[in-house]
Amino acid sequence: MNDVIVVGGGASGLAAAIEAARGGCRVTVLEQKERTGKKILATGNGRCNLTNLHMDPDTCYRGGNPAFVRDVLGRVTVAETLVWFGDLGIPTKDRNGYVYPRSDQASAVAEALAMEAEHLGVRILCGMRVESISFKGENSGNLRTAGEFAVTAEDRTDGERKVGERKAGEQKARRRETFRSRAVILAAGSKAAPATGSDGSGYELAEALGHKIIPPLPALVQLICRGRIFRQLAGIRTDGRIRLLVDGEPAAADRGEVQLTEQGISGIPAFQVSRFASASLAAGRQVEASLDFLPDWNREQILEFLTARRSRLAYRKGESFLSGLFAGKLGAVLMSSAGISLTDPVSQIPDRKLEKLADQIRDFRAPVTGTRSFDSAQVCCGGVCADQVFGATMESRITPGLYLTGELLDVDGICGGYNLQWAWSTGILAGRSAAKIIREGGDSL
């Protein structure tokens, strides 16, 4: 029998497996994709933004239990994580607080995790989709009692299994197999980017074991906006600021490179506010994006600039009035939205329309009707209610011996390495905690 079964071979799952094995446990990882660490390969545009030195749990993470996030990140810190990766042979570099592997290769991180797990004797079975988890044991509140888990998985391989990308030997394909263990670490991910293996099945497994699931929604994802005007703006990239308004009230804001698409708004600023859009739209509330295309200037400065420009460039046609300030397509849309002719001379622009143009530059409104799907999302908001998990150990308060990690939980970070740090912290903590309990024979918490 296994000591620990880890469901999911992603970032938090591999970190958990490594720590449990270092603690002397017999560990098996069940990964449904053909190799481990697939989502890691896509992080940081293939460079893997491991973590961030600017770590403020209260502003960098969202979810229903901020105290839980502070507790977890205080136990496995960024500094400890960097040492942990150094021990795996991954030196890092700092880019204004954003931490990457020195090689800028996400593949090196995935490979280092898989090789360390192999070295420690972790059994990694790929192509295994877990269908159910059952627990035999007594649940008596905070008292942790001995029990046994049965994890049933469907074998989706074609006669062989792989460890990472290396063959682990020919085996006959089996339709279903049941694995038994003293502890289970559920690290199956969210519903975001299902092509990498996180298809939401972990929610069903957790719910079947008694956990409350906050409905998952796409986060760190593009905004879909109403209006054909975005077809004209597709391809525009510009420094700007997004304010998200919910029922007319500010809900979130961010600044950076805003990307305009045929469907709406993309880029880091849109990603950062998207979870609030998802949640508000799901609640039936009205959502609107306010775009500021000159975030360093106030309205008076913009109006003064436009007035002087009208005088200096009086000979130009309206279509070229904002040339040099904004890309042509964006300038034309701003002019038209202010009711200014693109064919008349600039000298004919009345003051009232110049004021309206200043308002459009500072506060261009776009009704938000949705977000892109889970396929396009980097993470989800929602997941297993964090109130049902001990922050000190990642063990379930509902099912003793079950540990929950990473994106499966109702915690989502902003862009910049924060979601990977959450994976490392929760995975390391879960693996260590499970090993400690097993070594000590399942004593009370």
Side-chain angles (χ1 to χ4, degrees), residues 172-433:
K172 291 183 179 179
R174 290 165 292 189
R175 184 166 180 76
R176 281 182 178 82
E177 186 172 349
T178 297
F179 303 83
R180 302 189 183 280
S181 68
R182 298 173 63 189
V184 168
I185 299 175
L186 193 50
S190 63
K191 292 182 73 172
T196 63
S198 54
D199 59 3
S201 58
Y203 299 133
E204 298 173 8
L205 296 171
E207 189 172 33
L209 290 167
H211 295 83
K212 177 182 177 182
I213 306 299
I214 310 301
L217 297 166
L220 299 188
V221 69
Q222 302 93 330
L223 302 177
I224 298 175
C225 299
R226 185 170 65 244
R228 289 177 293 178
I229 200 169
F230 283 95
R231 293 180 184 175
Q232 296 176 244
L233 297 173
I236 295 291
R237 294 171 178 252
T238 183
D239 178 49
R241 183 171 182 265
I242 296 179
R243 282 189 309 139
L244 197 73
L245 306 175
V246 176
D247 292 337
E249 297 296 322
D254 199 72
R255 177 178 172 175
E257 186 183 70
V258 175
Q259 300 174 23
L260 304 178
T261 73
E262 286 190 6
Q263 291 187 310
I265 310 168
S266 187
I268 299 298
F271 292 172
Q272 304 288 46
V273 304
S274 61
R275 68 101 63 204
F276 299 100
S278 287
S280 298
L281 289 167
R285 304 176 71 182
Q286 185 178 36
V287 180
E288 198 173 24
S290 168
L291 297 175
D292 181 352
F293 293 110
L294 285 177
D296 291 325
W297 295 4
N298 60 37
R299 184 180 184 278
E300 290 71 25
Q301 289 172 315
I302 293 174
L303 187 56
E304 182 180 348
F305 172 83
L306 293 175
T307 301
R309 191 175 180 87
R310 178 181 60 182
S311 175
R312 175 66 184 84
L313 304 176
Y315 63 90
R316 287 190 180 183
K317 296 287 182 68
E319 63 184 359
S320 60
F321 181 52
L322 298 179
S323 178
L325 184 63
F326 301 118
K329 292 188 292 185
L330 177 57
V333 166
L334 291 171
M335 293 284 285
S336 296
S337 64
I340 299 173
S341 170
L342 298 180
T343 57
D344 291 342
V346 166
S347 60
Q348 295 181 13
I349 302 175
D351 288 347
R352 60 183 175 78
K353 289 191 175 182
L354 215 59
E355 291 179 4
K356 190 171 182 181
L357 179 58
D359 290 335
Q360 290 298 304
I361 292 171
R362 282 279 293 170
D363 185 16
F364 185 85
R365 297 292 181 94
V368 179
T369 60
T371 69
R372 294 287 296 275
S373 69
F374 289 111
D375 289 345
S376 300
Q378 293 183 25
V379 297
C380 290
C381 57
V384 176
C385 179
D387 296 346
Q388 297 179 329
V389 180
F390 290 106
T393 61
M394 306 311 300
E395 187 174 21
S396 167
R397 295 176 183 267
I398 308 298
T399 305
L402 177 70
Y403 299 79
L404 303 107
T405 70
E407 291 182 29
L408 188 65
L409 296 160
D410 178 28
V411 176
D412 54 291
I414 62 174
C415 293
Y418 296 99
N419 289 292
L420 272 180
Q421 180 60 55
W422 182 248
W424 311 134
S425 292
T426 57
I428 290 170
L429 195 53
R432 287 177 182 171
S433 301

